[in-house]
Amino acid sequence: MKKREQFKRIINFFEGFVILALHIAIFAFVWYGSYVEQLEIPFFRKGDWAVIGIYGLVLFLLISLYGGFKIGYLRLMDVLYSQILSLLCANLFAYIQVVLISRKYLSALPILKMTICQIGIILVWVFICKLIYAALYPPRQMLLVCYDRDPDDMIMKMSSRQDKYEICDIADLTEEPLEGVCDMVADYEAVLIYDIPAYERNVILKRCFTESVRTYVTPKISDILLRGADNIHLFDTPLYLSRNKGLSGDQIIFKRLLDLVISIPVSVILLPLFLIIAFLIKVYDGGPVLYKQPRLTLNGKVFNIYKFRSMRMDSERDGAQLAKKNDNRVTPVGKVLRALHFDEFPQLINIIKGDMSLVGPRPERPEIAEQYEAIIPEFNFRLKVKAGLTGYAQVYGKYNTTPYDKLKLDLTYVENYSFWLDIKLLMLTFKILFQKENTEGIDANQVTAVKGKKE
């Protein structure tokens, strides 16, 4: 198993190379066979190569961004979805490229036929690669090490990927000696360290390193703060610098420019859609179209967020609470809006006003944030940057992700912020728009996303 692990990256490389080469070859066939002869100004050979090369580069970047090459890492359906989404975007770009080069609208039928053929190839490719991966890399035999926190939630998450992980044993440090747990490490292919005290974690980590055993660790908040620190090389001792001040002045300026450059044109383009949505909401029950609600943003400032109303007008007669699974307060129009995230569009107004940013931690309601802070005092660490329309926790988490895990995701964004990270998250947001699990509400017996005691 360990020898095969050394070749996993090579196998993944060749799998990715094959599918990318097939896509490029098919596009080259369509370009030469359907479009070259229709160009009024013929391309020289290098010009044709450039068009094909640009298509390949765009497709490669999109598949890499959306995770389409991650066979074995992502679920089978996620890989399929990522591959097909990347392909559709790249082929749309290719047709725009054809139109610009030809200086007139040519038939899109060759591109459409090409797309259908490519999707068929993707289905076969993903299935074959999955069989290869399953044959070469069976689920890892894992040891889970926990302390005083119930590991059931983590076990359930790991069990959702039975193709990749198999938790064979659980070692509870409240019941077993540290030395005995360390001796167990070598008997497994991987160890999952689940929120244990720092001293014990360090001892087990070092033992895993000594035994060359793969280790998975759920990070603490301090770990995430350190991950965003700078390496200082002023002395002969490694030093980390964590500034802990949120964004710098130049980052604030560039972030604001990005917000305005994107949100203003998008608002103008989507105005007809806004009017249609407003009409449907008004016709259904005659109530207000927009819903205003106090939320928290940078440094705890309270502002009114705007959303298209998706629930009944009396939806909070029993007090503030998050949306639940199969929530009967959601109107028929609201179900569609929430499934497509269209109810969030009016927040472009908040972005233009400067209350929010395109990317950042999702703004929480003051009364719900207060409940979270009573359990997790660090929850207000998220307020080092402006609240966002989308964010790290929205892309990599879900609507019902626990507050503690959401805090970790948001802090990962705060501590690793860059202009390009915002661009990446915006593009990844497009990928999750149609994934149902990202809009899944909390359980019916919950009022907030808290599931238990503080982690």
Side-chain angles (χ1 to χ4, degrees):
M1 180 68 177
K2 290 185 178 180
K3 289 184 178 180
R4 282 181 289 179
E5 282 291 332
Q6 298 174 357
F7 296 100
K8 181 183 289 186
R9 290 183 181 274
I10 297 175
I11 293 171
N12 288 343
F13 169 79
F14 279 108
E15 289 174 343
F17 175 81
V18 167
I19 190 65
L20 188 63
L22 286 172
H23 286 319
I24 294 173
I26 293 172
F27 176 73
F29 177 80
V30 171
W31 170 254
Y32 281 114
S34 300
Y35 291 118
V36 168
E37 60 188 22
Q38 299 183 58
L39 299 180
E40 294 181 1
I41 304 176
F43 266 33
F44 292 103
R45 181 177 300 172
K46 290 183 179 179
D48 294 326
W49 293 349
V51 172
I52 297 168
I54 290 172
Y55 173 80
L57 178 62
V58 169
L59 184 58
F60 170 76
L61 293 175
L62 287 170
I63 295 176
S64 298
L65 174 66
Y66 291 138
F69 291 130
K70 294 183 176 179
I71 294 285
Y73 179 79
L74 297 179
R75 294 183 179 90
L76 179 64
M77 293 306 298
D78 287 337
V79 175
L80 276 173
Y81 177 65
S82 300
Q83 280 275 342
I84 293 173
L85 177 62
S86 303
L87 180 69
L88 294 176
C89 293
N91 287 1
L92 175 62
F93 174 84
Y95 179 69
I96 294 172
Q97 189 179 22
V98 167
V99 170
L100 292 175
I101 292 172
S102 62
R103 301 180 185 180
K104 60 182 178 182
Y105 288 102
L106 300 180
S107 173
L109 188 58
I111 296 285
L112 292 175
K113 291 180 178 179
M114 176 183 83
T115 302
I116 294 171
C117 176
Q118 289 173 307
I119 290 175
I121 290 174
I122 288 172
L123 294 173
V124 174
W125 174 80
V126 169
F127 180 73
I128 292 175
C129 290
K130 190 66 178 178
L131 289 178
I132 294 173
Y133 189 92
L136 293 178
Y137 305 105
R140 296 183 188 281
Q141 308 294 300
M142 300 182 70
L143 168 69
L144 187 149
V145 183
C146 61
Y147 187 62
D148 61 350
R149 182 182 170 194
D150 188 350
D152 287 349
D153 186 53
M154 194 68 207
I155 292 172
M156 183 175 66
K157 291 178 181 179
M158 301 298 284
S159 297
S160 68
R161 293 301 308 274
Q162 294 181 357
D163 61 318
K164 192 171 177 65
Y165 308 112
E166 182 182 351
I167 296 178
C168 301
D169 201 359
I170 300 174
D172 190 336
L173 286 172
T174 62
E175 301 174 357
E176 301 185 40
L178 178 60
E179 295 77 8
V181 173
C182 287
D183 291 339
M184 296 171 66
V185 163
D187 297 330
Y188 297 91
E189 296 171 345
V191 173
L192 170 58
I193 299 177
Y194 185 57
D195 199 28
I196 67 176
Y199 172 76
E200 287 81 356
R201 185 177 72 170
N202 290 342
V203 172
I204 296 173
L205 274 173
K206 292 173 183 177
R207 183 61 175 268
C208 289
F209 187 84
T210 301
E211 302 287 348
S212 299
V213 174
R214 180 174 293 221
T215 311
Y216 300 81
V217 182
T218 55
K220 298 179 181 294
I221 291 175
S222 55
D223 297 326
I224 294 172
L225 296 179
L226 284 175
R227 282 187 65 189
D230 295 329
N231 290 316
I232 301 297
H233 298 293
L234 296 177
F235 318 104
D236 57 355
T237 298
L239 200 63
Y240 286 156
L241 169 62
S242 186
R243 293 184 171 83
N244 305 322
K245 289 187 177 181
L247 307 188
S248 61
D250 59 317
Q251 289 174 330
I252 292 172
I253 291 172
F254 281 109
K255 190 171 178 62
R256 181 61 180 153
L257 288 174
L258 178 66
D259 291 340
L260 295 176
V261 166
I262 293 180
S263 58
I264 292 176
V266 169
S267 298
V268 173
I269 293 170
L270 294 179
L271 184 58
L273 178 60
F274 293 172
L275 295 176
I276 294 172
I277 293 173
F279 174 76
L280 294 173
I281 295 172
K282 197 71 177 177
V283 166
Y284 176 72
D285 60 8
V289 171
L290 292 180
Y291 176 67
K292 292 194 302 182
Q293 192 179 73
R295 296 290 181 103
L296 296 174
T297 187
L298 178 65
N299 296 325
K301 177 185 174 183
V302 179
F303 73 101
N304 281 323
I305 196 172
Y306 300 110
K307 301 178 77 171
F308 282 123
R309 184 172 59 84
S310 61
M311 291 189 175
R312 301 192 312 261
M313 288 181 282
D314 63 346
S315 60
E316 294 199 334
R317 61 189 175 192
D318 298 325
Q321 52 186 300
L322 298 180
K324 299 178 174 63
K325 297 175 182 177
N326 304 314
D327 201 321
N328 59 11
R329 298 175 300 159
V330 180
T331 66
V333 176
K335 287 181 180 179
V336 177
L337 295 179
R338 294 173 74 89
L340 300 175
H341 298 269
F342 284 2
D343 60 321
E344 311 283 359
F345 279 157
Q347 289 164 48
L348 291 170
I349 300 171
N350 293 116
I351 295 170
I352 295 171
K353 287 174 61 179
D355 296 326
M356 293 174 59
S357 178
L358 283 170
V359 183
R362 283 298 293 159
E364 203 61 76
R365 301 179 66 171
E367 54 268 45
I368 291 180
E370 188 176 343
Q371 295 178 51
Y372 291 163
E373 288 175 28
I375 305 170
I376 313 165
E378 305 92 343
F379 193 73
N380 63 0
F381 286 7
R382 307 163 68 248
L383 304 180
K384 288 280 188 179
V385 297
K386 279 185 184 178
L389 178 63
T390 185
Y392 206 92
Q394 280 61 52
V395 169
Y396 295 106
K398 296 187 292 185
Y399 181 83
N400 58 2
T401 296
T402 64
Y404 190 61
D405 286 334
K406 193 171 291 186
L407 171 61
K408 290 179 182 179
L409 292 169
D410 286 331
L411 282 179
T412 300
Y413 171 75
V414 173
E415 290 299 307
N416 296 276
Y417 169 79
S418 71
F419 180 82
W420 296 113
L421 179 58
D422 271 6
I423 299 294
K424 177 182 177 180
L425 292 174
L426 286 171
M427 295 184 70
L428 286 172
T429 298
F430 178 70
K431 175 187 174 183
I432 68 169
L433 280 178
F434 308 107
Q435 292 180 317
K436 184 178 179 180
E437 64 180 12
N438 292 91
T439 59
E440 186 177 56
I442 60 176
D443 292 332
N445 61 346
Q446 294 177 260
V447 175
T448 66
V450 174
K451 293 184 178 179
K453 66 177 182 176
K454 175 186 172 182
E455 286 90 336

